[in-house]
Amino acid sequence: MSLQSRSVPPQAQSLVEQLPEEWELLLHEWSEPRYRALQIFRWIYQRGVLNPEQMTDLPKRLRDKLAEAGLAPPATVAKTQDSADGTKKLLIELADGKQVETVLIPRGSVAAEDLFAGDGDDETAESRATDSQGVTQCISSQVGCAMGCAFCASGIAGLKRQMSAGEIVSQVLLGRATLEGSARLAGVVFMGMGEPLHNYDALARAIRLISHPDGLGMSLRRLTVSTSGLVPEIDRLARDFSGQVQLAVSLHAADTDTRTRLMPVNKKYPLSELLAAVRRYPVPRRRRLTIEYTLVRGLNDTELAAKNLARTLHGLRAKVNLIPMNPVAGVSLAAPDEATVERFQQILRDEGIDTFLRRRRGDDIAAACGQLALHGEARKVRTSERV
Ligand code: SAH
Ligand code: SF4
């Protein structure tokens, strides 16, 4: 690796998102003992306590200093919505009043079967057993999204602002705090609102915080980053985390014209360059990439499209998740009929491609991960269009 290609992580934007070594530097400046660094980090990430007043084993002097320096929760839960199968959606409010959503999906729920079919290739029977209490959390990485995909509510609303690493990780802390009984967090997927690789520095820091052994301690392999295909950042992710973070690529079409129509990002990073980046992503042994393919009626659902996709993926260690498009208010695109979806899946399977159907049932929450809409904002867009 050349020196130029090594990325230098930027500084933390707030105290909440500091890693232990950064706490050590700050505490040194404050003439406080070094061991306090881990103490504070563990309060935040192991116990979910972000209010210095509640860090009872710290001296009052230090608690006051932390509060003065601005250590405080960057987000709160504005609303919780429970579904019958155990899936839970949280509306998260950030300090400036902007809102994002996160969804907690228990393994074994209908939504989880849809989302994670074919995952966990290298899991042992033991880890599968503990995973039955496991919950996967789908989190947002931006308020809105700049990528403008034709079928996506977040894309239509546009990018409102980036999220900081502290805000991104807060979703996990707030989500974990809602778990009951023996439920525990088994995985985090960046498939909520936003394009995680368009907010790379915050994403990378969030990954470091979530995976830090003195924090949430989740292994990198339990984290999935879903991207519309930002080539340089796919390479950065590969380099920074040695391919340990699970990559999901939203392909949606294997021919240039259709992909550009559905996803403007294809003009910047054409299919050939994206596929090259995907092929060089260092997928660990016994793991595979995920290719996401949202089926849109009359656009990318033909037999020819399926054959083309199979040819494109030939030789790639990947599974395909087919997602019949969820309806989006104000958008005329729709999912194909059931028979077309099944034929598409069958063609891929006949060509030897492992393919799973994420049958969103259109109910409020199972449909949510992957299209956590800016509900209020989307309405505003439509109103202003009418003016
Ligand atoms: N921006 C990233 C991650 C968030 S979107 C990405 O695009 O990959 C997560 C997944 O939900 C993507 O595969 C996206 O294409 C899909 N998605 C978005 N809107 C959808 C809709 N209306 N119906 C079905 N899938 C949708
Ligand atoms: Fe952004 Fe992903 Fe939606 Fe495309 S599908 S607009 S990249 S959130």
Side-chain angles (χ1 to χ4, degrees):
M1 186 167 52
S2 76
L3 271 179
Q4 272 168 324
S5 68
R6 200 171 291 157
S7 44
V8 181
Q11 284 192 332
Q13 286 180 30
S14 66
L15 293 185
V16 162
E17 60 181 53
Q18 288 201 129
L19 289 153
E21 54 272 28
E22 293 164 326
W23 277 113
E24 281 182 11
L25 289 176
L26 182 65
L27 289 163
H28 181 73
E29 272 174 36
W30 289 356
S31 307
E32 294 283 349
R34 192 178 168 167
Y35 68 86
R36 298 274 184 221
L38 266 188
Q39 238 178 325
I40 297 169
F41 189 75
R42 286 180 179 150
W43 269 115
I44 298 174
Y45 287 100
Q46 290 185 350
R47 302 199 222 180
V49 171
L50 283 71
N51 181 350
E53 261 325 292
Q54 293 164 7
M55 300 181 176
T56 45
D57 58 0
L58 300 184
K60 173 93 171 76
R61 176 196 71 247
L62 180 54
R63 281 186 272 152
D64 289 347
K65 199 150 193 181
L66 288 169
E68 208 177 294
L71 180 60
T76 53
V77 178
K79 200 170 115 189
T80 306
Q81 218 181 319
D82 288 291
S83 89
D85 80 340
T87 303
K88 201 182 302 195
K89 181 154 82 175
L90 308 182
L91 183 65
I92 303 285
E93 185 155 322
L94 309 175
D96 64 354
K98 294 257 185 301
Q99 293 179 331
V100 296
E101 288 174 319
T102 178
V103 185
L104 291 135
I105 307 156
R107 291 262 160 165
S109 68
V110 171
E113 273 169 38
D114 286 356
L115 260 178
F116 311 115
D119 281 357
D121 317 12
D122 65 351
E123 282 172 12
T124 59
E126 195 187 343
S127 73
R128 266 197 303 277
T130 41
D131 268 6
S132 60
Q133 271 90 48
V135 173
T136 300
Q137 187 173 2
C138 174
I139 62 173
S140 297
S141 55
Q142 298 181 310
V143 184
C145 183
M147 298 298 133
C149 299
F151 47 81
C152 175
S154 312
I156 291 158
L159 180 65
K160 302 298 166 194
R161 74 161 169 86
Q162 297 285 19
M163 288 174 76
S164 68
E167 289 172 332
I168 295 173
V169 181
S170 278
Q171 297 171 83
V172 183
L173 296 176
L174 292 168
R176 187 183 58 174
T178 69
L179 296 179
E180 289 155 22
S182 56
R184 56 175 197 87
L185 216 51
V188 170
V189 298
F190 290 83
M191 288 188 189
M193 193 192 294
E195 166 51 55
L197 293 186
H198 187 220
N199 190 12
Y200 187 85
D201 291 331
L203 169 76
R205 181 176 280 276
I207 292 174
R208 290 194 172 94
L209 290 166
I210 296 170
S211 61
H212 198 285
D214 289 300
L216 286 150
M218 194 174 289
S219 98
L220 290 174
R221 291 183 178 212
R222 292 181 178 271
L223 306 183
T224 301
V225 171
S226 174
T227 179
S228 56
L230 273 54
V231 168
E233 285 75 22
I234 292 176
D235 287 337
R236 264 179 99 180
L237 191 73
R239 239 179 4 242
D240 288 350
F241 300 101
S242 319
Q244 295 295 309
V245 171
Q246 176 78 28
L247 184 67
V249 176
S250 295
L251 202 61
H252 309 320
D255 75 276
T256 298
D257 289 350
T258 312
R259 192 163 195 273
T260 301
R261 215 168 142 191
L262 290 171
M263 312 174 72
V265 67
N266 196 57
K267 281 181 266 181
K268 188 159 185 198
Y269 300 114
L271 213 44
S272 54
E273 286 178 29
L274 171 58
L275 290 166
V278 167
R279 283 182 199 284
R280 63 180 173 257
Y281 193 80
V283 181
R285 237 164 46 88
R286 290 159 59 96
R287 301 288 295 213
R288 52 187 173 169
L289 297 156
T290 302
I291 300 293
E292 288 163 286
Y293 196 100
T294 297
L295 283 162
V296 185
R297 186 193 300 163
L299 273 178
N300 63 357
D301 62 346
T302 60
E303 261 175 60
L304 188 66
K307 289 198 170 132
N308 204 1
L309 177 61
R311 206 174 28 247
T312 303
L313 299 182
H314 187 74
L316 195 67
R317 216 151 17 103
K319 63 157 179 153
V320 173
N321 273 347
L322 291 178
I323 319 156
M325 184 193 156
N326 274 304
V328 175
V331 172
S332 57
L333 305 176
D337 58 36
E338 189 80 7
T340 306
V341 171
E342 268 161 29
R343 188 190 55 193
F344 198 95
Q345 180 180 26
Q346 199 53 51
I347 293 171
L348 290 176
R349 287 192 162 167
D350 290 347
E351 298 282 341
I353 311 275
D354 239 346
T355 308
F356 301 90
L357 196 54
R358 277 166 58 175
R359 242 182 250 277
R360 310 215 181 170
R361 282 150 185 85
D363 71 28
D364 51 354
I365 293 175
C369 184
Q371 62 144 12
L372 300 181
L374 281 163
H375 297 294
E377 302 280 0
R379 265 195 293 282
K380 269 183 231 151
V381 170
R382 285 203 307 285
T383 321
S384 61
E385 270 169 7
R386 250 185 272 131
V387 175

